[in-house]
Protein backbone atom coordinates (compact mmCIF):
# COMPACT_ATOMS: atom_id res chain seq x y z
CA UNK A 1 0.00 0.00 0.00
CA UNK A 2 1.48 3.35 -1.03
CA UNK A 3 1.62 6.00 1.69
CA UNK A 4 -0.98 8.78 1.37
CA UNK A 5 0.15 12.00 -0.28
CA UNK A 6 0.50 15.17 1.73
CA UNK A 7 1.90 18.68 1.49
CA UNK A 8 5.65 18.53 2.07
CA UNK A 9 6.13 19.00 5.82
CA UNK A 10 9.47 20.79 5.46
CA UNK A 11 7.86 23.36 3.15
CA UNK A 12 5.05 23.77 5.70
CA UNK A 13 7.36 24.36 8.66
CA UNK A 14 9.59 26.73 6.67
CA UNK A 15 6.62 28.84 5.66
CA UNK A 16 5.24 28.93 9.21
CA UNK A 17 8.54 29.94 10.78
CA UNK A 18 9.49 32.45 8.09
CA UNK A 19 6.12 34.21 8.09
CA UNK A 20 5.31 33.78 11.76
CA UNK A 21 1.69 33.24 10.75
CA UNK A 22 -0.32 30.12 11.62
CA UNK A 23 -2.96 30.19 8.91
CA UNK A 24 -3.26 26.45 8.25
CA UNK A 25 -3.32 23.14 10.09
CA UNK A 26 0.07 22.52 11.69
CA UNK A 27 -0.20 19.23 13.58
CA UNK A 28 -1.63 16.98 10.90
CA UNK A 29 -3.16 13.65 11.84
CA UNK A 30 -3.16 12.02 8.40
CA UNK A 31 -0.79 9.07 8.96
CA UNK A 32 1.08 10.18 5.81
CA UNK A 33 4.75 9.38 5.33
CA UNK A 34 7.26 11.87 3.97
CA UNK A 35 10.90 11.09 3.20
CA UNK A 36 12.77 14.16 4.46
CA UNK A 37 16.38 13.03 4.00
CA UNK A 38 18.23 10.02 2.63
CA UNK A 39 16.88 7.04 4.59
CA UNK A 40 14.92 9.31 6.93
CA UNK A 41 11.12 9.46 7.01
CA UNK A 42 8.43 10.87 9.27
CA UNK A 43 4.84 9.66 9.51
CA UNK A 44 2.56 12.46 10.68
CA UNK A 45 0.04 11.02 13.12
CA UNK A 46 -1.44 12.18 16.43
CA UNK A 47 2.04 11.23 17.56
CA UNK A 48 4.60 10.97 14.76
CA UNK A 49 6.82 8.03 14.00
CA UNK A 50 10.34 9.00 12.90
CA UNK A 51 12.25 6.31 11.01
CA UNK A 52 15.86 5.88 9.91
CA UNK A 53 16.89 3.24 7.41
CA UNK A 54 20.14 1.39 8.15
CA UNK A 55 22.11 -1.54 6.76
CA UNK A 56 20.60 -3.71 9.50
CA UNK A 57 16.95 -2.72 9.44
CA UNK A 58 14.95 0.28 10.58
CA UNK A 59 15.37 2.44 13.68
CA UNK A 60 12.03 3.93 14.71
CA UNK A 61 11.31 6.64 17.24
CA UNK A 62 7.95 5.97 18.89
CA UNK A 63 5.09 3.77 17.73
CA UNK A 64 2.28 6.33 17.78
CA UNK A 65 -0.84 5.51 19.80
CA UNK A 66 -3.27 2.60 20.02
CA UNK A 67 -5.73 4.46 17.79
CA UNK A 68 -3.18 5.10 15.02
CA UNK A 69 -0.60 2.31 15.28
CA UNK A 70 -1.99 0.15 12.49
CA UNK A 71 -2.30 3.05 10.05
CA UNK A 72 1.24 4.18 10.88
CA UNK A 73 2.60 0.68 10.22
CA UNK A 74 0.75 0.61 6.89
CA UNK A 75 2.38 3.88 5.87
CA UNK A 76 5.78 2.67 7.04
CA UNK A 77 5.49 -0.51 5.00
CA UNK A 78 4.70 1.53 1.88
CA UNK A 79 8.19 2.99 2.31
CA UNK A 80 10.22 0.00 3.54
CA UNK A 81 9.64 -3.66 4.29
CA UNK A 82 12.91 -4.00 6.20
CA UNK A 83 12.62 -5.42 9.69
CA UNK A 84 12.38 -2.95 12.55
CA UNK A 85 15.66 -3.42 14.34
CA UNK A 86 15.17 -0.88 17.15
CA UNK A 87 12.18 0.93 18.60
CA UNK A 88 13.15 3.97 20.69
CA UNK A 89 10.61 5.49 23.05
CA UNK A 90 11.07 9.22 23.51
CA UNK A 91 8.89 8.77 26.62
CA UNK A 92 6.18 6.51 27.90
CA UNK A 93 3.01 8.45 27.07
CA UNK A 94 0.42 6.15 25.54
CA UNK A 95 0.16 8.15 22.31
CA UNK A 96 3.85 7.30 21.75
CA UNK A 97 3.96 3.67 22.89
CA UNK A 98 0.39 2.41 22.51
CA UNK A 99 0.81 1.56 18.82
CA UNK A 100 3.71 -0.80 19.48
CA UNK A 101 1.33 -3.75 19.44
CA UNK A 102 0.78 -3.05 15.75
CA UNK A 103 4.54 -3.23 15.19
CA UNK A 104 4.65 -6.55 17.03
CA UNK A 105 1.77 -7.90 14.92
CA UNK A 106 3.53 -6.76 11.75
CA UNK A 107 6.74 -8.51 12.80
CA UNK A 108 4.83 -11.71 13.49
CA UNK A 109 3.07 -11.56 10.13
CA UNK A 110 6.39 -11.04 8.34
CA UNK A 111 8.15 -13.64 10.50
CA UNK A 112 10.64 -11.02 11.59
CA UNK A 113 12.05 -10.74 15.12
CA UNK A 114 10.63 -8.19 17.50
CA UNK A 115 12.64 -4.96 17.71
CA UNK A 116 14.86 -4.13 20.62
CA UNK A 117 12.84 -1.59 22.61
CA UNK A 118 14.91 1.20 24.15
CA UNK A 119 13.83 3.85 26.65
CA UNK A 120 14.86 5.70 29.77
CA UNK A 121 14.92 3.90 33.13
CA UNK A 122 11.70 5.63 34.19
CA UNK A 123 9.59 4.29 31.31
CA UNK A 124 8.99 0.97 33.06
CA UNK A 125 7.89 2.61 36.36
CA UNK A 126 5.56 4.79 34.27
CA UNK A 127 3.99 1.72 32.70
CA UNK A 128 3.60 0.19 36.15
CA UNK A 129 1.95 3.39 37.41
CA UNK A 130 -0.43 3.38 34.46
CA UNK A 131 -1.53 -0.13 35.34
CA UNK A 132 -1.92 0.76 39.02
CA UNK A 133 -4.04 3.84 38.16
CA UNK A 134 -5.78 2.38 35.13
CA UNK A 135 -9.28 3.58 36.00
CA UNK A 136 -8.12 7.10 36.81
CA UNK A 137 -6.17 7.39 33.57
CA UNK A 138 -9.14 6.21 31.50
CA UNK A 139 -11.32 8.85 33.17
CA UNK A 140 -8.96 11.80 32.80
CA UNK A 141 -7.97 11.01 29.23
CA UNK A 142 -11.56 10.63 28.11
CA UNK A 143 -12.12 14.04 29.67
CA UNK A 144 -9.00 15.58 28.15
CA UNK A 145 -9.18 14.11 24.66
CA UNK A 146 -12.83 13.23 24.18
CA UNK A 147 -15.17 15.97 23.04
CA UNK A 148 -12.41 18.55 22.72
CA UNK A 149 -10.58 16.61 20.01
CA UNK A 150 -13.75 15.44 18.29
CA UNK A 151 -14.67 19.10 17.83
CA UNK A 152 -11.35 19.51 15.99
CA UNK A 153 -12.03 16.57 13.71
CA UNK A 154 -9.82 14.02 15.48
CA UNK A 155 -11.53 10.84 16.57
CA UNK A 156 -9.86 9.34 19.62
CA UNK A 157 -11.64 6.94 21.93
CA UNK A 158 -10.51 5.53 25.26
CA UNK A 159 -13.11 2.79 25.44
CA UNK A 160 -10.93 -0.23 26.15
CA UNK A 161 -10.46 -1.69 29.60
CA UNK A 162 -6.75 -0.86 29.58
CA UNK A 163 -5.33 2.64 29.32
CA UNK A 164 -1.90 1.16 28.50
CA UNK A 165 -2.76 -1.45 25.86
CA UNK A 166 -2.06 -5.00 26.96
CA UNK A 167 -0.09 -5.64 23.75
CA UNK A 168 2.24 -2.64 24.22
CA UNK A 169 5.92 -3.53 24.04
CA UNK A 170 7.88 -2.80 27.23
CA UNK A 171 11.51 -1.63 27.04
CA UNK A 172 14.12 -4.38 27.16
CA UNK A 173 17.04 -1.92 27.17
CA UNK A 174 17.09 1.14 29.42
CA UNK A 175 19.61 3.79 30.42
CA UNK A 176 19.90 6.49 33.10
CA UNK A 177 21.58 9.66 31.78
CA UNK A 178 23.15 9.21 28.34
CA UNK A 179 23.50 6.27 26.01
CA UNK A 180 24.74 5.55 22.50
CA UNK A 181 23.57 3.11 19.87
CA UNK A 182 25.01 1.95 16.59
CA UNK A 183 22.65 0.13 14.26
CA UNK A 184 23.65 -0.85 10.75
CA UNK A 185 26.12 1.99 10.37
CA UNK A 186 23.86 4.60 12.00
CA UNK A 187 25.15 6.14 15.22
CA UNK A 188 22.74 7.71 17.72
CA UNK A 189 23.38 9.60 20.94
CA UNK A 190 20.58 9.38 23.51
CA UNK A 191 20.10 12.05 26.16
CA UNK A 192 17.78 12.09 29.15
CA UNK A 193 16.28 15.37 30.33
CA UNK A 194 13.20 15.99 32.41
CA UNK A 195 10.59 18.12 30.72
CA UNK A 196 7.06 17.07 29.93
CA UNK A 197 7.91 13.84 31.74
CA UNK A 198 10.59 12.36 33.99
CA UNK A 199 11.40 9.63 31.45
CA UNK A 200 12.14 11.69 28.36
CA UNK A 201 14.75 10.81 25.75
CA UNK A 202 15.92 13.05 22.94
CA UNK A 203 18.44 11.94 20.36
CA UNK A 204 21.26 13.43 18.30
CA UNK A 205 21.97 11.69 14.97
CA UNK A 206 25.35 13.08 13.86
CA UNK A 207 25.36 11.73 10.29
CA UNK A 208 22.19 13.69 9.52
CA UNK A 209 22.90 16.54 11.97
CA UNK A 210 19.42 15.73 13.22
CA UNK A 211 17.67 16.08 16.55
CA UNK A 212 14.73 13.86 17.48
CA UNK A 213 13.31 15.84 20.43
CA UNK A 214 10.19 13.80 21.13
CA UNK A 215 7.64 16.03 22.87
CA UNK A 216 10.21 18.61 23.93
CA UNK A 217 9.18 20.29 20.66
CA UNK A 218 5.56 19.76 19.63
CA UNK A 219 4.41 22.85 17.67
CA UNK A 220 2.35 24.05 20.62
CA UNK A 221 3.16 25.90 23.81
CA UNK A 222 5.13 23.45 25.99
CA UNK A 223 2.92 20.94 27.77
CA UNK A 224 4.46 21.76 31.14
CA UNK A 225 1.32 22.43 33.14
CA UNK A 226 -1.30 19.79 32.35
CA UNK A 227 -3.85 20.11 35.20
CA UNK A 228 -4.73 16.42 35.30
CA UNK A 229 -1.28 14.84 35.07
CA UNK A 230 1.81 14.36 37.21
CA UNK A 231 4.56 16.93 37.74
CA UNK A 232 6.28 18.55 34.75
CA UNK A 233 9.70 20.25 34.75
CA UNK A 234 9.82 23.54 32.81
CA UNK A 235 13.33 24.71 33.74
CA UNK A 236 14.89 21.34 32.93
CA UNK A 237 12.91 21.40 29.70
CA UNK A 238 14.44 24.76 28.76
CA UNK A 239 17.94 23.46 29.51
CA UNK A 240 17.37 20.49 27.19
CA UNK A 241 16.30 22.82 24.38
CA UNK A 242 19.45 24.90 24.81
CA UNK A 243 21.56 21.73 24.82
CA UNK A 244 19.98 20.73 21.51
CA UNK A 245 20.69 24.14 20.02
CA UNK A 246 24.35 23.96 21.08
CA UNK A 247 24.77 20.95 18.79
CA UNK A 248 23.94 23.21 15.81
CA UNK A 249 21.43 20.82 14.20
CA UNK A 250 20.31 21.13 10.61
CA UNK A 251 17.25 18.91 10.96
CA UNK A 252 14.69 18.83 13.78
CA UNK A 253 12.11 16.02 13.71
CA UNK A 254 9.57 16.41 16.53
CA UNK A 255 7.01 13.91 17.73
CA UNK A 256 4.12 16.23 16.87
CA UNK A 257 3.94 18.55 13.90
CA UNK A 258 6.24 18.94 10.90
CA UNK A 259 10.02 18.60 10.84
CA UNK A 260 12.19 21.72 10.50
CA UNK A 261 15.22 22.14 8.26
CA UNK A 262 17.90 24.81 8.58
CA UNK A 263 20.12 25.96 11.40
CA UNK A 264 18.50 29.38 11.73
CA UNK A 265 14.92 28.16 11.78
CA UNK A 266 15.73 25.42 14.29
CA UNK A 267 17.52 27.86 16.58
CA UNK A 268 14.53 30.19 16.44
CA UNK A 269 12.17 27.42 17.53
CA UNK A 270 14.39 25.94 20.24
CA UNK A 271 15.50 29.20 21.81
CA UNK A 272 12.12 30.92 21.88
CA UNK A 273 10.55 27.87 23.53
CA UNK A 274 13.37 27.82 26.08
CA UNK A 275 13.04 31.55 26.75
CA UNK A 276 9.31 31.31 27.39
CA UNK A 277 9.73 28.53 29.95
CA UNK A 278 12.63 30.30 31.65
CA UNK A 279 10.59 33.49 31.87
CA UNK A 280 7.66 31.76 33.56
CA UNK A 281 9.97 30.04 36.04
CA UNK A 282 11.91 33.19 36.93
CA UNK A 283 8.81 35.38 37.25
CA UNK A 284 7.02 32.81 39.40
CA UNK A 285 9.97 32.14 41.70
CA UNK A 286 10.62 35.87 42.09
CA UNK A 287 7.04 36.37 43.24
CA UNK A 288 7.27 33.34 45.54
CA UNK A 289 10.40 34.82 47.10
CA UNK A 290 8.41 37.99 47.76
CA UNK A 291 5.83 35.95 49.69
CA UNK A 292 3.08 36.16 47.06
CA UNK A 293 0.23 33.67 47.14
CA UNK A 294 -0.58 31.42 44.21
CA UNK A 295 -3.57 33.60 43.37
CA UNK A 296 -1.39 36.73 43.35
CA UNK A 297 1.08 35.03 41.04
CA UNK A 298 -1.58 33.81 38.63
CA UNK A 299 -2.81 37.39 38.26
CA UNK A 300 0.63 38.95 37.80
CA UNK A 301 2.80 36.53 35.81
CA UNK A 302 2.39 36.41 32.04
CA UNK A 303 4.14 36.19 28.69
CA UNK A 304 3.92 38.73 25.86
CA UNK A 305 1.01 38.07 23.51
CA UNK A 306 3.30 38.22 20.49
CA UNK A 307 5.31 35.31 21.87
CA UNK A 308 2.19 33.17 22.11
CA UNK A 309 1.17 34.05 18.55
CA UNK A 310 4.20 32.28 17.08
CA UNK A 311 3.03 29.19 15.15
CA UNK A 312 5.17 26.83 17.25
CA UNK A 313 4.16 28.42 20.59
CA UNK A 314 0.39 28.87 20.44
CA UNK A 315 -1.37 27.76 23.65
CA UNK A 316 -3.76 25.41 21.87
CA UNK A 317 -2.92 22.39 24.01
CA UNK A 318 -1.50 23.59 27.32
CA UNK A 319 -1.27 27.22 28.42
CA UNK A 320 1.00 29.42 30.57
CA UNK A 321 -1.47 29.69 33.47
CA UNK A 322 -1.29 25.95 33.99
CA UNK A 323 2.50 25.98 33.74
CA UNK A 324 2.62 28.58 36.53
CA UNK A 325 0.58 26.25 38.73
CA UNK A 326 3.03 23.42 38.04
CA UNK A 327 5.99 25.67 38.87
CA UNK A 328 4.30 26.52 42.17
CA UNK A 329 3.72 22.83 42.89
CA UNK A 330 7.32 21.94 42.01
CA UNK A 331 8.97 24.64 44.14
CA UNK A 332 6.36 25.35 46.80
CA UNK A 333 4.01 22.41 47.34
CA UNK A 334 0.25 22.12 46.95
CA UNK A 335 -0.97 24.71 49.49
CA UNK A 336 -1.85 28.05 47.84
CA UNK A 337 -1.25 30.19 51.02
CA UNK A 338 -4.96 30.69 51.71
CA UNK A 339 -5.21 29.50 55.35
CA UNK A 340 -8.88 28.61 54.98
CA UNK A 341 -7.96 26.08 52.31
CA UNK A 342 -5.28 24.32 54.31
CA UNK A 343 -8.01 22.21 55.94
CA UNK A 344 -11.22 23.38 54.27
CA UNK A 345 -14.83 22.60 55.02
CA UNK A 346 -16.54 20.18 52.64
CA UNK A 347 -17.46 22.03 49.47
CA UNK A 348 -21.17 21.30 49.85
CA UNK A 349 -21.30 22.76 53.36
CA UNK A 350 -19.48 25.93 52.33
CA UNK A 351 -21.70 26.30 49.27
CA UNK A 352 -24.90 25.88 51.31
CA UNK A 353 -23.81 28.54 53.78
CA UNK A 354 -22.83 31.05 51.10
CA UNK A 355 -25.94 30.41 49.03
CA UNK A 356 -28.17 30.88 52.08
CA UNK A 357 -26.46 34.18 52.87
CA UNK A 358 -26.74 35.27 49.23
CA UNK A 359 -30.45 34.71 48.75
CA UNK A 360 -30.68 31.09 47.62
CA UNK A 361 -29.66 29.00 44.64
CA UNK A 362 -31.99 30.80 42.22
CA UNK A 363 -30.34 34.13 43.02
CA UNK A 364 -26.90 32.64 42.44
CA UNK A 365 -28.01 31.05 39.16
CA UNK A 366 -29.61 34.27 37.92
CA UNK A 367 -26.50 36.25 38.74
CA UNK A 368 -24.35 33.64 37.00
CA UNK A 369 -26.44 34.06 33.85
CA UNK A 370 -26.08 37.84 34.08
CA UNK A 371 -22.32 37.43 34.31
CA UNK A 372 -22.35 35.30 31.16
CA UNK A 373 -24.14 38.13 29.37
CA UNK A 374 -21.48 40.51 30.71
CA UNK A 375 -18.77 38.16 29.37
CA UNK A 376 -17.42 37.34 32.84
CA UNK A 377 -17.43 33.59 32.39
CA UNK A 378 -14.90 32.93 35.14
CA UNK A 379 -17.07 34.44 37.87
CA UNK A 380 -20.21 32.90 36.36
CA UNK A 381 -18.64 29.45 36.73
CA UNK A 382 -17.82 30.08 40.40
CA UNK A 383 -21.42 31.08 41.20
CA UNK A 384 -23.09 28.21 39.36
CA UNK A 385 -20.70 25.75 41.01
CA UNK A 386 -21.77 27.03 44.42
CA UNK A 387 -25.43 26.78 43.48
CA UNK A 388 -25.13 23.21 42.22
CA UNK A 389 -22.99 22.17 45.20
CA UNK A 390 -25.74 23.46 47.49
CA UNK A 391 -28.47 21.63 45.54
CA UNK A 392 -26.78 18.89 43.49
CA UNK A 393 -29.99 17.17 42.31
CA UNK A 394 -31.65 20.23 40.79
CA UNK A 395 -32.22 19.63 37.08
CA UNK A 396 -32.85 23.33 36.43
CA UNK A 397 -29.54 24.32 38.01
CA UNK A 398 -27.75 21.67 36.00
CA UNK A 399 -29.37 23.00 32.84
CA UNK A 400 -27.98 26.46 33.59
CA UNK A 401 -24.61 24.96 34.51
CA UNK A 402 -24.50 23.12 31.17
CA UNK A 403 -25.22 26.35 29.27
CA UNK A 404 -22.53 28.26 31.17
CA UNK A 405 -19.85 25.64 30.57
CA UNK A 406 -20.83 25.34 26.92
CA UNK A 407 -20.23 29.09 26.64
CA UNK A 408 -16.97 28.75 28.58
CA UNK A 409 -15.80 25.94 26.32
CA UNK A 410 -16.50 28.02 23.21
CA UNK A 411 -14.36 30.86 24.55
CA UNK A 412 -11.27 28.72 25.23
CA UNK A 413 -8.28 27.96 23.03
CA UNK A 414 -6.32 25.22 24.80
CA UNK A 415 -7.36 21.59 24.53
CA UNK A 416 -6.86 21.18 28.29
CA UNK A 417 -9.50 23.79 29.09
CA UNK A 418 -11.84 22.73 26.30
CA UNK A 419 -11.79 19.12 27.46
CA UNK A 420 -12.54 19.90 31.11
CA UNK A 421 -15.27 22.46 30.36
CA UNK A 422 -16.81 20.13 27.77
CA UNK A 423 -16.94 17.34 30.35
CA UNK A 424 -18.60 19.64 32.90
CA UNK A 425 -21.22 20.72 30.37
CA UNK A 426 -21.93 17.14 29.32
CA UNK A 427 -22.21 16.00 32.94
CA UNK A 428 -24.85 18.61 33.75
CA UNK A 429 -26.64 18.25 30.42
CA UNK A 430 -27.14 14.55 31.17
CA UNK A 431 -28.63 15.34 34.59
CA UNK A 432 -30.77 18.18 33.26
CA UNK A 433 -32.20 15.99 30.50
CA UNK A 434 -32.76 13.06 32.85
CA UNK A 435 -30.74 10.74 30.64
Amino acid sequence: MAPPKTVDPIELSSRLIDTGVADEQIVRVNNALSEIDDNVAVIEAFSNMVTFGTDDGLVCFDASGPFSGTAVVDSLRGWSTDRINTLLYTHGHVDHVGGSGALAADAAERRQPLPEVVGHDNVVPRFERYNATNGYNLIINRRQFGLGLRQRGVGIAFDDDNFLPSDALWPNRTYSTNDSLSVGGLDLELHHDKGETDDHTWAWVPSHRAICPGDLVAWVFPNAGNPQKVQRYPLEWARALRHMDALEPELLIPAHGPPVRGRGRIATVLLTLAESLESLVSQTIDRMNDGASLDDILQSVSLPAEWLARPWMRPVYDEPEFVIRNIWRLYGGWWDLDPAYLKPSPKGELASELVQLGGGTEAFAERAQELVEADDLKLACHLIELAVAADPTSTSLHGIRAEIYEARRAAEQSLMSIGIFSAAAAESREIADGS
Side-chain angles (χ1 to χ4, degrees), residues 157-287:
F158 290 92
D159 295 327
D160 296 331
D161 291 334
N162 297 311
F163 174 66
L164 177 67
S166 57
D167 62 356
L169 297 175
W170 288 50
N172 50 30
R173 172 174 172 168
T174 65
Y175 75 101
S176 59
T177 303
N178 297 305
D179 199 2
S180 60
L181 296 176
S182 184
V183 180
L186 181 73
D187 295 328
L188 305 102
E189 298 175 9
L190 307 184
H191 300 272
H192 167 61
D193 278 292
K194 292 181 179 180
E196 184 187 28
T197 69
D198 67 354
D199 62 351
H200 209 289
T201 293
W202 62 271
W204 168 238
V205 188
S207 59
H208 294 274
R209 299 207 62 78
I211 294 283
C212 296
D215 274 5
L216 297 175
V217 176
W219 283 93
V220 291
F221 190 81
N223 181 21
N226 191 319
Q228 301 183 93
K229 302 294 180 69
V230 297
Q231 181 68 58
R232 276 90 201 279
Y233 306 89
L235 189 58
E236 291 87 342
W237 191 330
R239 289 170 181 161
L241 294 168
R242 292 195 179 276
H243 186 179
M244 294 177 200
D245 179 69
L247 293 170
E248 300 185 349
E250 294 289 345
L251 187 60
L252 180 73
I253 320 173
H256 298 276
V260 182
R261 188 185 302 281
R263 174 76 188 103
R265 294 189 183 102
I266 293 170
T268 295
V269 170
L270 295 177
L271 296 180
T272 52
L273 288 168
E275 186 178 7
S276 69
L277 291 170
E278 290 162 348
S279 178
L280 287 178
V281 171
S282 63
Q283 289 184 70
T284 301
I285 290 178
D286 285 348
R287 297 289 285 123

Side-chain angles (χ1 to χ4, degrees), residues 47-89:
S47 172
N48 298 341
M49 174 188 280
V50 180
T51 303
F52 292 81
T54 82
D55 293 338
D56 193 15
L58 303 177
V59 173
C60 296
F61 283 85
D62 293 333
S64 202
F67 35 79
S68 53
T70 298
V72 164
V73 170
D74 288 344
S75 289
L76 176 67
R77 288 318 188 187
W79 182 66
S80 173
T81 57
D82 292 349
R83 75 181 184 97
I84 300 174
N85 180 300
T86 305
L87 174 61
L88 286 147
Y89 288 154

Side-chain angles (χ1 to χ4, degrees), residues 95 112 140 262 316 365:
D95 61 318
Q112 296 173 341
I140 64 174
V316 295

